[in-house]
Amino acid sequence: MDHAPPTKEAAERRGVAGDMLGAIADLVAPRTCAGCGVRGEALCAACRTELRGSPLRVRLRADVPVPVFACGRYGGASQAVINAYKEQGRTELSRGLGDSAAQLLWELIDLGEIPEPHDTPLALVPAPASASAIRRRGFDHIARWTERTTRVLSASLPPGSVVMTQALQVRGRVRDAAGLSAGARAENLAGSIVAAPLRILGGDDPAKVWAQMRDGTRHVIVVDDVVTTGATMAECVRALARIGLRTDSAVALRAA
């Protein structure tokens, strides 16, 4: 039987509880770096630097009709950090992941790949997690670090210049994409990503943000953690188009 997905408030409470448990555990056993295992920090300076990487334009097998960028290739410390965050409940890593995405976006702005937010405000749309994944992890793993990215970018910009908009959700059941071919990934996701009741972080006027997204005066960016074939990003772009929103670009922490 399908269960209703947890509310945003419930997911946030679980995430806070996870952070508190992590802090208590850290008093008992010293924390180790998720990237290399060195004791002392959740993410050491060397792995933090590696995680940030450098902008990479990604070529995908799926038909994603917008430019797709990543911080670098999936592997090494970045793979270890992302897996520890997603599958081991190390929610404290959302800070490093969010900072990495913010750095990528700043570099893309400097390169002219993404418009300057002072002139064209940005809307970050996290790829949605399934209800079962949120229940298993206790939090929405992409939305959590995207919140951090939004706050980091917004710190030096006028209010509302960068917002996170949770405009999408997963409908029904989808299989874990690990091990699936490009065609199977696309078939698995077809029609499964749909519009969600719009939630906005960082904007004080949701109606204005929505209007800007619809009329194209706000640059819409789909964000994901790891892009492999591009099936998820392609489905997100199609889902946004069905509700009248044009996607302008997409970014991921890593490209596999």
Side-chain angles (χ1 to χ4, degrees), residues 159-231:
S161 297
V162 182
V163 301
M164 183 182 87
T165 58
Q166 290 184 268
L168 301 173
Q169 62 186 346
V170 176
R171 177 178 61 191
R173 295 181 181 274
V174 294
R175 290 184 291 163
D176 188 333
L180 297 180
S181 66
R185 284 172 183 260
E187 183 179 350
N188 183 43
L189 289 170
S192 66
I193 297 178
V194 298
L198 190 65
R199 296 191 294 270
I200 297 174
L201 171 72
D204 57 1
D205 187 345
K208 180 180 178 181
V209 170
W210 177 249
Q212 290 172 330
M213 292 174 69
R214 289 185 67 88
D215 66 19
T217 58
R218 183 176 286 269
H219 189 91
V220 177
I221 306 171
V222 171
V223 300
D224 203 351
D225 56 355
V226 180
V227 58
T228 305
T229 65

